[in-house]
Amino acid sequence: MNELSATPAEAEAAVAFLQSRGLARTIDTAIVLGTGLGALCESAADQTSLPYSEIPGFPRPGVSGHDGRLVFGALEGSRVAFLNGRVHYYEQGDAAAMRVPLQVLALLGARTLILTNSAGSLHSDWYPGSVVVIRDHINLSGTNPLIGLQSDSRFVPMTDAYDERLRKRLRTVAAANGISVREGVYMWFCGPSFETPAEIRMARQLGADLVGMSTVPEVILARWLGLRVMALSVITNFGAGISGASPTHAETKEVALSGSIGVRRLLRAFLRPSDD
Ligand code: HPA
């Protein structure tokens, strides 16, 4: 069981380390870049970055396609920190693996967390390459990143986990830029094996639109930290058995890369200041 502490001592140590290196910056928005989305932070202005491996308390991602760098920069005038690469539950069985990075970003001033991921589609007409904004999630994995926390802060309300105002703004921005975006419910499977066709049929019957192996633990942690959350998925494949699909990691990586272009455009437009 993880020893989750309500006092962010490890995160404070990480912030002190960043300050000692002259790297700590005040930020408005934190963005977690999933598979294939690393290019978004490359276009940020006035960048500084550090590998997770050099930052105390940060985890070490071990999946190809996930870099593991903390990047500070400016995007469309917004002060942003990117977590380029995440650690998944299936790597070490630790659902709280991204706790310290998220706490650090909250300590640096982030109010909003934008998560990106790749996901399998549960609809035969939600095609690979499409972008979906997550409206809600289903976690029947049996685990939770807040297990082990002692204080009552662990009883985090999840009713409005995916911020309504952020989703509304995203839809407006998408329409204004001619980018089509769906909204859907994401069901977390802990992986690393892909789902069976029977699990995919179950997910569909339970009301899910997408399946994936990430994001949900980070959303729970972010809500615990009081961050507003928005999450975007790039559909990389049909779920197992849908239209005969049998997803592979190679396929998801390849499609995530090409499908990420829409998400990158969308996020830049989202971050641009507007009058509303
Ligand atoms: N299942 C789980 N995770 C995924 C999938 C999928 O089909 N596609 C991309 N990530």
Side-chain angles (χ1 to χ4, degrees):
M1 189 187 292
N2 72 68
E3 293 282 322
L4 193 55
S5 159
T7 53
E10 279 173 285
E12 278 164 3
V15 170
F17 167 81
L18 292 170
Q19 279 163 344
S20 74
R21 299 276 298 259
L23 291 171
R25 291 210 201 157
T26 304
I27 54 169
D28 310 305
T29 303
I31 304 183
V32 176
L33 297 172
T35 314
L37 277 150
L40 184 68
C41 64
E42 284 160 23
S43 58
D46 188 22
Q47 263 188 56
T48 56
S49 84
L50 212 59
Y52 293 171
S53 57
E54 290 183 24
I55 310 173
F58 270 49
R60 315 270 178 275
V63 186
S64 55
H66 293 266
D67 239 15
R69 283 189 92 79
L70 170 63
V71 181
F72 293 102
L75 210 54
E76 304 294 341
S78 195
R79 298 173 299 180
V80 178
F82 299 92
L83 293 173
N84 187 8
R86 54 156 60 89
V87 175
H88 301 79
Y89 172 70
Y90 59 71
E91 293 178 52
Q92 301 288 337
D94 179 8
M98 293 300 285
R99 174 176 55 92
V100 171
L102 293 175
Q103 281 178 314
V104 165
L105 299 185
L107 286 171
L108 293 178
R111 305 287 310 281
T112 301
L113 176 70
I114 301 175
L115 296 140
T116 59
N117 65 32
S118 64
S121 162
L122 300 187
H123 299 282
S124 55
D125 60 347
W126 290 28
Y127 295 102
S130 345
V131 179
V132 180
V133 59
I134 299 178
R135 170 161 50 88
D136 205 346
H137 76 224
I138 300 174
N139 173 18
L140 294 184
S141 67
T143 192
N144 189 297
L146 304 181
I147 289 175
L149 187 66
Q150 300 298 322
S151 82
D152 280 358
S153 71
R154 65 186 151 183
F155 300 113
V156 175
M158 293 296 289
T159 321
D160 304 312
Y162 297 84
D163 192 89
E164 168 96 51
R165 275 180 38 220
L166 296 178
R167 285 188 286 126
K168 183 161 177 258
R169 176 162 157 68
L170 187 88
R171 287 196 300 270
T172 308
V173 164
N177 286 273
I179 303 169
S180 109
V181 178
R182 298 180 191 274
E183 270 206 355
V185 174
Y186 176 96
M187 184 158 179
W188 182 40
F189 281 86
C190 71
S193 55
F194 282 96
E195 301 73 32
T196 63
E199 287 164 344
I200 290 294
R201 286 195 298 276
M202 174 198 72
R204 185 70 209 105
Q205 280 176 19
L206 292 178
D209 303 295
L210 305 163
V211 290
M213 303 180 196
S214 68
T215 304
V216 165
E218 293 133 69
V219 171
I220 296 170
L221 286 165
R223 295 305 296 148
W224 172 59
L225 293 169
L227 298 170
R228 298 194 304 160
V229 170
M230 183 173 79
L232 294 172
S233 294
V234 176
I235 293 181
T236 52
N237 57 280
F238 291 117
I242 293 184
S243 309
S246 179
T248 64
H249 184 56
E251 174 193 8
T252 60
K253 269 202 312 191
E254 192 182 316
V255 181
L257 207 55
S258 51
S260 70
I261 295 165
V263 172
R264 274 155 37 203
R265 262 187 70 213
L266 192 56
L267 282 179
R268 294 193 77 107
F270 183 84
L271 291 173
R272 221 167 279 146
S274 75
D275 302 331
D276 57 43

